[in-house]
Amino acid sequence: MSNTRLSVRLSRLLNMIPYFIANPGISAAEAAADLGVTTKQLMSDLNQLWMCGLPGYGPGDLIDLSFSEESIEVTFSAGIDRPLRLTSTEATALLVALRSIVEMPGMVDPTAAHAAIAKIESAIVGGGAQISEPRDSRMPPAEAPAVAEVRSALARQRALRLVYYSASRDVVSERIVDPIRIVLVDNNSYLQAWCRQAEGVRLFRFDRIEAATELDEPARPPSHATEAAAALDLFQDDPAVPLARLRIHPDYGWVLDQYPMNRLAVHPDGSLDVTMRFATLDWMARLLLGFGAGVTVLGPPELVAAVRERSDAALAVYAEAGFEIR
């Protein structure tokens, strides 16, 4: 396992104990959705936590949990819930991160984020002491109504009606979606959701959501959509995850609205060079074949070969069936 993946998992494990203390008895499915992992990964993490604790590593030292897929509860935290103390360097780094993420619509509750910023600033003023109540009582900037509505629907697991502007097609459309999670891609925040109109998982950039209405019906994204979203983990820029290099035909600019791609260059004819991380070669090859001539694979070589092999196999099937290929 790469150092990047280990650090991501460590951060998740450290967050789990306070999370489960704050949400006693929560089900594995609910917790997995909140933490952005699959239920299988969550149960693996819980088994790992069960063997962690304080030096000595005997009874009374190890973290203890009572957990099943129906209910999870921390029975001994090994001190992880003690008040946090930060060095000035740690506090400064945390402040920079918080101030960056609070500017991304939808990523966090701005009221809670500003309260945390004020607490950390108070701790720095106190010389790196225990984080206390904030001294700054200023009200944080108001959250845009559409952003607040999306976060509320996601938390309550409700469907949404969106009025959305697609920059690539220069059109505004209305659609009903089933929210899955909020993600950060290339310094923009997105709602990842199952679009009932397109019958597929789509990304909706927050600054292009013109209006959002929480519906009085539960969100029901298909299980294969949520599992694929978690398994792909597209939004961790992990160098261990393969990176595809693609050229998007001018008429296929809409692809950038639906998949997390990073732009590299724009050519005079309007075509775009982009990158996109992917979990498996097989999945990525099938996805690209679905775009036909609209997307050209530039690399890596193994992806180019996989797409060519699948294309040749498909053409051979058509030829055997007597169809003329032009």
Side-chain angles (χ1 to χ4, degrees), residues 104-167:
M104 299 290 180
M107 293 302 296
V108 293
D109 179 347
T111 302
H114 280 279
I117 288 170
K119 287 183 181 183
I120 296 168
E121 289 174 338
S122 177
I124 293 176
V125 171
Q130 174 181 315
I131 291 180
S132 57
E133 288 304 308
R135 300 179 184 180
D136 190 349
S137 59
R138 292 174 297 178
M139 294 296 291
E143 187 172 33
V147 175
E149 194 79 357
V150 170
R151 287 199 310 102
S152 171
L154 189 62
R156 289 156 50 88
Q157 298 183 329
R158 298 288 182 87
L160 275 167
R161 178 178 287 109
L162 299 181
V163 177
Y164 186 73
Y165 169 67
S166 175

Side-chain angles (χ1 to χ4, degrees), residues 284-295:
M284 193 63 178
R286 284 189 286 111
L287 174 70
L288 294 172
L289 283 171
F291 296 135
V295 177

Side-chain angles (χ1 to χ4, degrees), residues 25-303:
I26 192 170
S27 71
E30 291 175 304
D34 283 351
L35 297 169
V37 297
T38 62
T39 302
K40 181 180 178 181
Q41 180 63 63
L42 177 71
M43 300 306 287
S44 174
D45 288 343
L46 290 172
N47 277 299
Q48 181 73 49
L49 275 174
W50 192 55
M51 296 182 283
C52 299
L54 300 170
Y57 307 109
D61 300 320
L62 295 175
I63 292 169
D64 201 5
L65 308 105
S66 170
F67 63 92
S68 66
E69 292 200 3
E70 288 70 39
S71 176
I72 303 166
E73 192 161 354
V74 177
T75 53
F76 178 65
S77 68
I80 259 186
D81 55 340
R82 292 174 187 167
L84 179 64
R85 291 178 181 273
L86 301 173
T87 66
S88 58
T89 301
E90 291 170 336
T92 300
L94 190 55
L95 276 175
V96 170
L98 273 171
R99 285 171 177 157
S100 297
I101 201 169
V102 79
E103 294 174 1
M104 299 290 180
M107 293 302 296
V108 293
D109 179 347
T111 302
H114 280 279
I117 288 170
K119 287 183 181 183
I120 296 168
E121 289 174 338
S122 177
I124 293 176
V125 171
Q130 174 181 315
I131 291 180
S132 57
E133 288 304 308
R135 300 179 184 180
D136 190 349
S137 59
R138 292 174 297 178
M139 294 296 291
E143 187 172 33
V147 175
E149 194 79 357
V150 170
R151 287 199 310 102
S152 171
L154 189 62
R156 289 156 50 88
Q157 298 183 329
R158 298 288 182 87
L160 275 167
R161 178 178 287 109
L162 299 181
V163 177
Y164 186 73
Y165 169 67
S166 175
S168 61
R169 289 177 290 174
D170 193 28
V171 296
V172 175
S173 62
E174 183 174 308
R175 59 190 77 193
I176 294 177
V177 303
D178 299 291
I180 297 174
R181 60 179 177 174
I182 293 170
V183 297
L184 184 64
V185 182
D186 195 23
N187 294 321
N188 288 301
S189 52
Y190 294 79
L191 168 68
Q192 186 183 42
W194 175 263
C195 177
R196 297 183 185 179
Q197 177 180 326
E199 295 187 341
V201 176
R202 296 292 184 264
L203 294 174
F204 300 95
R205 210 167 106 172
F206 267 97
D207 59 2
R208 295 177 183 165
I209 298 176
E210 298 190 354
T213 305
E214 182 178 329
L215 302 180
D216 190 21
E217 62 176 282
R220 293 193 181 93
S223 58
H224 66 81
T226 54
E227 288 169 4
L232 286 171
D233 202 13
L234 292 169
F235 315 107
Q236 294 289 342
D237 194 18
D238 186 345
V241 178
L243 184 69
R245 299 188 309 280
L246 312 170
R247 182 160 295 162
I248 310 296
H249 188 277
D251 294 337
Y252 278 68
W254 55 268
V255 170
L256 277 77
D257 287 333
Q258 300 181 3
Y259 296 92
M261 297 176 175
N262 295 329
R263 299 189 187 201
L264 296 180
V266 181
H267 296 282
D269 65 353
S271 62
L272 300 166
D273 284 358
V274 303
T275 60
M276 176 179 169
R277 294 205 178 272
F278 60 95
T280 67
L281 198 64
D282 181 67
W283 181 89
M284 193 63 178
R286 284 189 286 111
L287 174 70
L288 294 172
L289 283 171
F291 296 135
V295 177
T296 302
V297 187
L298 304 178
E302 56 270 24
L303 180 59

